[in-house]
Amino acid sequence: MDEKKLDEKRLFLGESEPLESVFKRFLKYFESDQLVTNQLHYILQALFQTLISNVLSETESRYLLAAILSPRYRIDTKRLEEELMFSYKSMGGKSKKAKIQRFEIYKNSLEYILLDSFEGAIKTDKVYLFGHFEQGPQFEYRHESTLYKSITVSCPLDHKFAERFVGKRIIFSSADRMGTDFPHWEVVIDEKHVARAFYVYANYEGAKPSFYYKKASDDLYHSLNTVFPGLDQTDWESQIEFNKGHDVWLEKIEEKVDSKRQAIKSELGGQCYQNGVPVKKLVYCGPLRSRFLGLFGYLLNIFNH
């Protein structure tokens, strides 16, 4: 067995060899290239990672099976941020909330950032950008994939079956939706029986979330009505609330390859561009750098310069 395959096994199994037979059966099933396996592959990617691709990877497939079998945890975000901030400041770090008014670039290198606070212009060694390029920064992070963004939707769900689905992830898609501008959407019912959904749309130039509110409402209603029959559409539409979502996905459709492998690391790195020119000392660490393997894969990419 070559060293790469040995490392892949250890990554997911450790010393638990009996589980290898389970992984092998799953990998063989995934490679059967049927409509149902293609749909399963797509749905699992949408649920557990940000990169959606038609090219199979053994490492990715192992991760997806591990994601199905493993418990999922809800993070206490506020407490985590407080503990991380305490550790960060204990090591000498400083934190400040401010808006960046301008990026000062000289000879294609970021030299200063101008804040809207009393500090004014601050000289920089290296700046790391987390999050999306949406408003303000005049930079871009190149990718050849279709970018999908999301709309968050919430609405009370008055139905006798609602209690049975509290806390469960319900995802809707179909064979004729995969690869389209609206490939899938996900719903979670909370303890108060409020349906909270992520509705996914292709983010073409000029697109705005509000353009798709009506379509999102209709698609979600008809999908939920298959699970909760008898929902009143008028009642649904009168209570629904929309907001811009923070989740993103990249879809990269490629020709089938014999190796059935993808690179774990992003070949793009964290290079930012302005008007097509690379900007030095500015590193993009946002979600578009993530490929697969969840948080592990994301950390692998942002520390891979």
Side-chain angles (χ1 to χ4, degrees):
M1 180 180 295
D2 62 49
E3 189 64 28
K4 183 171 183 178
K5 287 196 173 183
L6 185 61
D7 288 342
E8 287 175 350
K9 286 179 60 179
R10 286 176 177 167
L11 179 62
F12 294 101
L13 299 176
E15 301 302 324
S16 182
E17 283 295 329
L19 277 176
E20 177 61 9
S21 61
V22 178
F23 277 90
K24 283 184 176 179
R25 290 186 66 178
F26 184 73
L27 294 171
K28 185 176 181 181
Y29 176 68
F30 248 21
E31 292 176 0
S32 61
D33 196 22
Q34 305 174 58
L35 176 59
V36 65
T37 56
N38 292 334
Q39 286 181 279
L40 177 62
H41 186 220
Y42 178 89
I43 292 299
L44 293 180
Q45 288 178 325
L47 281 171
F48 299 118
Q49 57 191 49
T50 58
L51 177 69
I52 296 173
S53 173
N54 61 326
V55 178
L56 282 173
S57 160
E58 183 175 333
T59 307
E60 179 200 31
S61 298
R62 287 176 177 271
Y63 163 71
L64 292 175
L65 178 58
I68 299 172
L69 300 177
S70 302
R72 313 296 294 179
Y73 300 96
R74 182 175 297 171
I75 296 174
D76 185 340
T77 306
K78 183 179 179 181
R79 181 177 175 183
L80 176 62
E81 288 177 348
E82 289 173 350
E83 292 182 359
L84 289 174
M85 186 59 69
F86 177 79
S87 298
Y88 174 67
K89 290 183 176 180
S90 298
M91 293 185 289
K94 296 181 180 180
S95 174
K96 180 177 182 61
K97 289 185 178 180
K99 291 183 179 180
I100 297 176
Q101 290 188 329
R102 190 165 66 251
F103 291 84
E104 296 290 347
I105 297 176
Y106 179 69
K107 292 185 178 180
N108 301 322
S109 177
L110 179 61
E111 300 297 329
Y112 295 89
I113 55 174
L114 180 63
L115 302 180
D116 64 352
S117 59
F118 68 88
E119 289 93 342
I122 297 177
K123 185 170 177 58
T124 61
D125 281 329
K126 187 173 286 187
V127 172
Y128 297 86
L129 292 179
F130 295 83
H132 306 312
F133 287 129
E134 304 233 55
Q135 302 178 38
Q138 63 274 35
F139 307 111
E140 62 177 346
Y141 179 67
R142 292 181 173 179
H143 58 82
E144 297 178 355
S145 310
T146 302
L147 174 62
Y148 288 84
K149 291 188 176 181
S150 60
I151 300 166
T152 61
V153 184
S154 62
C155 185
L157 191 65
D158 184 14
H159 198 280
K160 62 183 179 180
F161 294 163
E163 185 63 30
R164 302 181 185 181
F165 292 88
V166 169
K168 293 178 169 54
R169 300 178 72 182
I170 308 169
I171 189 165
F172 296 97
S173 188
S174 59
D176 59 353
R177 286 280 191 165
M178 294 189 303
T180 69
D181 292 349
F182 310 97
H184 68 274
W185 43 97
E186 178 183 336
V187 180
V188 176
I189 313 298
D190 69 13
E191 295 81 359
K192 296 181 180 180
H193 294 185
V194 175
R196 304 191 183 279
F198 298 97
Y199 188 84
V200 181
Y201 66 93
N203 185 56
Y204 297 121
E205 186 175 355
K208 293 182 179 180
S210 57
F211 293 171
Y212 309 119
Y213 284 175
K214 174 61 176 172
K215 182 167 183 57
S217 176
D218 290 343
D219 282 344
L220 283 165
Y221 167 76
H222 290 297
S223 294
L224 285 171
N225 198 48
T226 64
V227 181
F228 306 101
L231 280 181
D232 188 300
Q233 187 167 7
T234 302
D235 188 49
W236 166 266
E237 291 176 345
S238 66
Q239 299 184 79
I240 199 167
E241 294 183 7
F242 301 96
N243 285 288
K244 181 175 65 174
H246 299 292
D247 293 76
V248 296
W249 292 262
L250 286 174
E251 183 181 66
K252 190 171 185 179
I253 304 302
E254 304 176 12
E255 294 183 3
K256 296 290 184 179
V257 294
D258 294 333
S259 66
K260 296 187 177 181
R261 289 189 178 276
Q262 298 186 65
I264 296 176
K265 296 181 182 179
S266 171
E267 66 277 7
L268 298 174
Q271 181 64 66
C272 294
Y273 293 82
Q274 182 186 57
N275 300 323
V277 179
V279 179
K280 300 174 184 177
K281 301 198 297 185
L282 182 64
V283 182
Y284 174 72
C285 297
L288 300 186
R289 285 194 66 177
S290 176
R291 292 184 65 80
F292 47 88
L293 303 190
L295 180 61
F296 174 81
Y298 174 66
L299 293 175
L300 184 68
N301 273 285
I302 63 173
F303 290 113
N304 173 43
H305 298 310

